[in-house]
Amino acid sequence: MYSFDIQRPTSVADAVSALGAEEAQALGGGQTLIPTLKQRLASPSVLVSLGAIAEIKGVCTGDDGALCIGGGTTHATVAKEASAYPALAALAGNIGDPAVRNRGTIGGSLANNDPSACYPAAALASGATIVTNSRSIAADDYFQGMFATALEEGEIITEVRFPVPEKAAYMKFEQPASRFALVGVFVAKYADGVRVAVTGASEDGVFRWTDAEAALSSNFSADAVPAAPSGDGMISDLHGSGAYRAHLVAVMTKRAVAAAS
Amino acid sequence: MTKVTMTVNGKTVSGEVKGNTLLTEFLREDLRLTGTHVGCDTSQCGACVVHVNGEAVKSCTMFAAEADGAEVKTIEGMANADGSLSVIQQAFQDYHGLQCGFCTPGMVMSAAALLKDNPKPTEAEVRDYLEGNICRCTGYHNIVRAIMAASGQDVPAVAAE
């Protein structure tokens, strides 16, 4: 690793101020950033650890019934405490491995927006709101392509608000070495329609499969899932071709609909 | 340099660390607690698992400065006060739950974290929990048997037998 200073502010306000320094970088649970630093793919001057900020940790239910998760909440805590949204708790409990889940955070995952990460699919399929130190961003506006988000420099995710669906499920076809999704599909059925979000497949990162949403909104059954989308623009690598991933999108959507509860 | 103070295996320790000093480096190189192993250094293998505030973490993927003020437990803190092996360690010996032994510290620490939350796991739960701990000797069957025994359950006839 290149050398850097590390700071551990205990409030969002102090963290925002520390992130104002030249080449400062926020550190969530570090389960992606620390390996990245080891490979010398990043060279911040200051790392601002968000791990000591109590006000952005925890799970609660908001006045509107939405499940609110602090940006610094670990995957393990979400798995244990998000019982109001079982599909989300199950997703969190299947990220990485137990030791990774004890460190990695929902805010870190969403800020990084890895094209194969699980949480972006949940946030997009749920129409979640990403709350930062300065504003609220709808999930539909937040994800802007592979590793790209609407976050400004130095902006911190303080909370994520998930409207709780009638039924939902996440199905992940796991890449066994990394445990990231080769393809993951999150299906969420709300009173006003079904949302389907796909991770791991597209070169543009997480996306909504609108054809499936339309079909499932009128008939919520696995048989209603349309034929696989085109493989154009899908990730093609040693783990699978674009066409293979496109095929998996339909398969995992059917499984998610069948499993939704 | 940053000053850090933490409790390691019940003893308060302090040290000066750089921003990029990993917890595993602080434990091994500053405190000379070399029981915590570094296998892959890429958070895959789990040889470096320790407990921080009671939770299993990969100490190669956490900075020492982040453990300031924390309670840390390593494999050196697992034995009983009289020096005899803990139930889990003894079970690893009894059931030959190690071959070369390199992954063993992480396996024992993960097993302890599992049994704290789930004192009577099924064989499938043990295997699932150990997904972040890799045994390069592929000695998983006896590791699973040891953990089942440590939980006070019948040791299953595992698939390999």
Side-chain angles (χ1 to χ4, degrees), chain B residues 39-117:
Chain B
C40 66
D41 201 24
T42 55
S43 43
Q44 312 278 318
C45 81
C48 67
V49 168
V50 302
H51 298 177
V52 175
N53 295 329
E55 293 181 335
V57 305
K58 293 184 171 176
S59 61
C60 81
T61 310
M62 174 172 183
F63 293 113
E66 295 180 281
D68 187 36
E71 297 261 353
V72 177
K73 190 168 190 179
T74 71
I75 188 69
E76 288 89 347
M78 288 302 284
N80 299 319
D82 64 2
S84 61
L85 294 180
S86 68
V87 171
I88 294 171
Q89 290 170 306
Q90 187 61 52
F92 269 68
Q93 186 180 77
D94 293 345
Y95 288 86
H96 197 62
L98 62 160
Q99 292 179 38
C100 84
F102 193 87
C103 72
T104 311
M107 289 286 180
V108 169
M109 299 313 286
S110 281
L114 166 65
L115 296 183
K116 180 170 71 89
D117 286 348

Side-chain angles (χ1 to χ4, degrees), chain A residues 194-250:
Chain A
V194 175
R195 291 171 67 107
V196 177
V198 180
T199 188
S202 170
E203 288 177 341
D204 292 328
V206 68
F207 70 95
R208 284 173 68 185
W209 187 19
T210 48
D211 288 352
E213 291 183 351
L216 290 168
S217 292
S218 52
N219 175 16
F220 193 74
S221 80
D223 296 337
V225 172
S230 159
D232 294 345
M234 296 290 181
I235 298 168
S236 196
D237 60 19
L238 78 169
H239 304 302
S241 65
Y244 179 67
R245 280 185 165 83
H247 176 73
L248 275 179
V249 170

